[in-house]
Amino acid sequence: MYDYQGSQSDLFRLLNGLLINKDIRSLKDTIYSEAWGCGSNLLYENRNTSLSRGEVLKVYQEFNSLIVQGVIAPGAYGSYGPDLPYFHVTEYGLECLKQTDILPYDQDGYLKKLQNIKDINDWVVFYVTEGLRCFNTNCINSSMINIGLAGETIVEELSSSFLDFLKKNDTSLSVSYQTELEQPRITISVKFTKYLDYQKKYLKNNRDFGLSALKPKLDNSSSEIYATFTRLTRNTVSHPNEIIMDRIKVLMFFLSFVDYCELQYLFINYYKLNS
């Protein structure tokens, strides 16, 4: 109704109401006359908010973090004013509001979700962490470089774990697959394509109900496009050129990346378990 804009005092009153609504604070901890009637953007411990002094400081920190990350910006249209305490949600912030998943600016929540993936490679977590730091300081190209490195790490682990799997379960196929992988100057996208090809050959030659059950979880064509796009994008943004990555496009990449990792590690862990 207000076009996603307002004043800090409006936001803080809404925050206080949500704390009560979600049972984080009880009704008896709140002084109604000031908690609901205060028009100031200055918060005071247990007076015009049910927050403690330390929590008030955290609210200020998070508010300013959202400004740095481009989710909100100072100033609101109309009779509000051009500067703080008035603010508005940016175009990028509106895209964030459309999402129902954990967003990259919630770095701790995002990394926790990533680290919950069983046996995920430490380098994948490292590159994604670096990517998040870059993304949240508006270094968009640098964030994509790190996502690309994380994607390449996954492809390398897929290739090596599948090779070990073939050595135990289909020796003849493992010999030709290893020869393909050892071609000079083989690219990540080609390596991934070879992996998909030999996975298909293996399933054609062998009755592997476990791997067959996993296959429908990951569409080969979309998976291949993702791996190729990651490599090409990383290479594009890491060399001098006129291409600047769009923040919203990279946001969508971050949102899909954890699910992509989760699916690929179902295969990686299956190969390792059966090697």
Side-chain angles (χ1 to χ4, degrees), residues 74-99:
Y77 180 77
S79 59
Y80 288 99
D83 304 303
L84 294 175
Y86 307 108
F87 71 97
H88 66 279
V89 179
T90 64
E91 182 180 350
Y92 166 72
L94 292 174
E95 287 296 324
C96 291
L97 286 172
K98 293 178 184 177
Q99 308 302 320

Side-chain angles (χ1 to χ4, degrees), residues 230-246:
T230 301
R231 180 187 64 83
L232 291 176
T233 304
R234 183 180 74 81
N235 288 344
T236 299
V237 299
S238 61
H239 294 92
N241 55 68
E242 297 179 356
I243 295 177
I244 299 176
M245 290 297 294
D246 177 77

Side-chain angles (χ1 to χ4, degrees), residues 6-137:
S7 70
Q8 284 179 276
S9 58
D10 297 328
L11 182 67
F12 297 155
R13 282 200 305 275
L14 288 169
L15 169 63
N16 201 65
L18 285 170
L19 290 172
I20 297 168
N21 185 264
K22 294 180 179 294
D23 294 324
I24 298 172
R25 288 290 185 274
S26 68
L27 288 170
K28 65 180 181 181
D29 294 330
T30 305
I31 304 172
Y32 288 93
S33 60
E34 294 192 30
W36 301 109
C38 178
S40 173
N41 61 307
L42 301 177
L43 299 178
Y44 293 94
E45 182 179 33
N46 298 322
R47 287 177 58 192
N48 60 352
T49 181
S50 56
L51 296 170
S52 67
R53 181 180 183 277
E55 290 167 334
V56 167
L57 293 176
K58 287 182 181 179
V59 168
Y60 291 155
Q61 291 164 19
E62 289 303 316
F63 183 87
N64 284 286
S65 291
L66 292 175
I67 292 177
V68 171
Q69 293 154 5
V71 177
I72 59 177
Y77 180 77
S79 59
Y80 288 99
D83 304 303
L84 294 175
Y86 307 108
F87 71 97
H88 66 279
V89 179
T90 64
E91 182 180 350
Y92 166 72
L94 292 174
E95 287 296 324
C96 291
L97 286 172
K98 293 178 184 177
Q99 308 302 320
T100 57
D101 209 337
I102 296 175
L103 298 171
Y105 67 78
D106 177 8
Q107 184 168 316
D108 291 340
Y110 188 95
L111 288 175
K112 184 178 180 180
K113 185 177 179 182
L114 184 71
Q115 290 168 332
N116 282 338
I117 298 173
K118 187 177 185 300
D119 295 330
I120 189 167
N121 190 298
D122 288 341
W123 281 106
V124 173
V125 177
F126 172 79
Y127 288 131
V128 172
T129 303
E130 292 293 294
L132 287 171
R133 289 171 179 165
C134 293
F135 185 80
N136 287 326
T137 53

